[in-house]
Amino acid sequence: MNTLKNIFGLLLMTTLIFTSCTKSDDGENPIFEGPSQEEFNALFEDALNNNTQTFQFNAEDGWINLTSDNGVSIGINSSCLTLNGNPVTGEVDLEYVELFDKGSMLTTNKPTMGVMPNGDKALLISGGEFYIEATQNGTPLDISCDIQLGIPGDLTGGIDNDMILWTGTIDEDGNLAWEEDKRDNPNGENGIFFEGNQYYAFVGDFGWTNVDKFYNDPREKTTILVDAPEGYDNTNCAIYLSYDGEDSGLANLDTYDSNTGLFSEHYGQIPIGLECHVIFVTEENNNWKYAIKGVTIAENETITFTEDETSVVTETQLINIINNLP
């Protein structure tokens, strides 16, 4: 009887091992399989839903004033709303997202990377990221005049007169990049003016908008590489950079070499000597798995993460961890 129990126990252990690993090509050493792309992306989608505020108003009410959870004023002229070119009547639904801290930017995959004139990307310091979308019966609406935002400067450390307006574009992989809003806008240079302790932004369309400026550091720049743990690539994990001392900016390493298995910031825009934290994130059992390394950037540095360095936390816990970085 004991022999049968031992055999059963061995079979059970073998089954458990093979449910979490697969054999390598030589049939010997097991290879860890990370989460699927769908499982990882679901974390971003859940976080975005958790940050989404909803409003309703009547399209025939004219000027609409709304106030967000963080005290941002949202002004919309409802007479400017159209559906297929026709004026809208009846109830309108508005979805709104506001992101002011790097923890929320990370969990929603909305880093602050601005497109430079030469096409490269570099870190932006943000006065707030915003998403606005109006629908009627689930159908997106168009707008023919500016949406006005009144944004308290205290939410991001006070007013910075160098801030300008940016428009977000999302690529086929779901990654967001910011491009300068270059509309000729009579309401303020680059769509923004400053009064008291408020930014006043004039947004020309629905979608993603950002109040930002480029991070400025005179030191020589370099490119860094990051090696994720075995079983992870650009489909099921992400690498971010938190610059020490900057609470409202988040960089990411947006390129991946499948031959080397390395993530890269390939534009060469990381200051040598910069003190920062490199962040690895992925999914495990509907929670966030992460690891963080504090580094001082060296020229052409490669930073390596291992599975043993990771921990699993909830979305709220991860946001607090990221926001408490230096």
Side-chain angles (χ1 to χ4, degrees):
M1 181 66 70
N2 288 335
T3 302
L4 288 176
K5 286 183 178 180
N6 291 337
I7 292 173
F8 177 77
L10 289 172
L11 288 173
L12 178 61
M13 290 178 62
T14 302
T15 301
L16 291 173
I17 290 171
F18 276 89
T19 57
S20 61
C21 302
T22 59
K23 284 186 178 180
S24 62
D25 292 339
D26 59 14
E28 295 180 0
N29 297 322
I31 300 173
F32 173 77
E33 289 187 346
S36 68
Q37 184 173 8
E38 291 75 17
E39 289 169 330
F40 181 50
N41 288 339
L43 291 180
F44 293 134
E45 294 172 7
D46 288 344
L48 191 60
N49 289 334
N50 292 337
N51 279 278
T52 298
Q53 303 172 46
T54 58
F55 302 89
Q56 289 78 37
F57 57 85
N58 193 303
E60 298 161 73
D61 287 345
W63 185 260
I64 306 297
N65 280 310
L66 306 170
T67 303
S68 77
D69 291 344
N70 283 298
V72 175
S73 63
I74 308 161
I76 296 177
N77 187 344
S78 61
S79 64
C80 296
L81 293 171
T82 60
L83 176 61
N84 298 324
N86 301 312
V88 175
T89 60
E91 187 173 272
V92 172
D93 297 303
L94 188 82
E95 287 191 352
Y96 170 80
V97 177
E98 55 187 10
L99 304 173
F100 297 101
D101 61 86
K102 55 192 175 184
S104 298
M105 293 171 183
L106 186 152
T107 56
T108 58
N109 193 31
K110 299 296 178 286
T112 55
M113 297 295 288
V115 179
M116 304 172 69
N118 64 357
D120 290 351
K121 296 177 186 176
L123 177 70
L124 298 170
I125 303 303
S126 180
E129 297 179 323
F130 308 93
Y131 176 81
I132 307 171
E133 187 68 62
T135 61
Q136 188 172 67
N137 299 320
T139 302
L141 304 179
D142 296 315
I143 192 165
S144 59
C145 52
D146 285 346
I147 306 162
Q148 298 184 23
L149 298 179
I151 308 160
D154 288 343
L155 294 172
T156 50
I159 293 296
D160 187 328
N161 292 326
D162 292 329
M163 293 289 191
I164 61 175
L165 199 63
W166 301 73
T167 299
T169 57
I170 297 179
D171 64 20
E172 59 185 11
D173 296 322
N175 296 315
L176 176 67
W178 300 98
E179 297 183 2
E180 182 180 342
D181 186 338
K182 294 185 177 181
R183 291 174 299 141
D184 293 330
N185 197 316
N187 296 306
E189 184 178 357
N190 294 309
I192 293 180
F193 76 85
F194 315 94
E195 186 174 277
N197 195 32
Q198 294 264 336
Y199 297 107
Y200 290 93
F202 297 86
V203 180
D205 204 351
F206 294 123
W208 282 99
T209 298
N210 201 345
V211 175
D212 273 276
K213 68 172 187 177
F214 276 117
Y215 176 79
N216 184 28
D217 191 312
R219 289 176 289 190
E220 292 186 11
K221 308 299 191 297
T222 189
T223 298
I224 65 169
L225 301 172
V226 174
D227 189 7
E230 192 70 28
Y232 297 98
D233 57 24
N234 61 324
T235 67
N236 62 4
C237 78
I239 307 293
Y240 298 94
L241 296 181
S242 171
Y243 289 22
D244 289 9
E246 300 294 345
D247 294 331
S248 60
L250 183 74
N252 72 318
L253 275 64
D254 63 343
T255 60
Y256 177 77
D257 188 329
S258 58
N259 293 319
T260 64
L262 297 176
F263 289 81
S264 174
E265 184 284 318
H266 69 286
Y267 309 107
Q269 293 295 324
I270 308 297
I272 297 173
L274 174 76
E275 294 182 350
C276 67
H277 285 73
V278 186
I279 307 162
F280 161 81
V281 293
T282 185
E283 185 271 353
E284 182 170 294
N285 296 326
N286 298 318
N287 282 311
W288 290 87
K289 179 187 283 189
Y290 81 99
I292 299 175
K293 291 196 173 195
V295 300
T296 300
I297 297 297
E299 188 172 4
N300 299 321
E301 184 173 9
T302 298
I303 299 158
T304 300
F305 287 99
T306 65
E307 184 71 22
D308 291 341
E309 296 170 323
T310 63
S311 300
V312 178
V313 294
T314 65
E315 177 188 327
T316 299
Q317 289 172 326
L318 182 61
I319 290 172
N320 290 334
I321 290 166
I322 301 304
N323 287 341
N324 284 324
L325 292 175

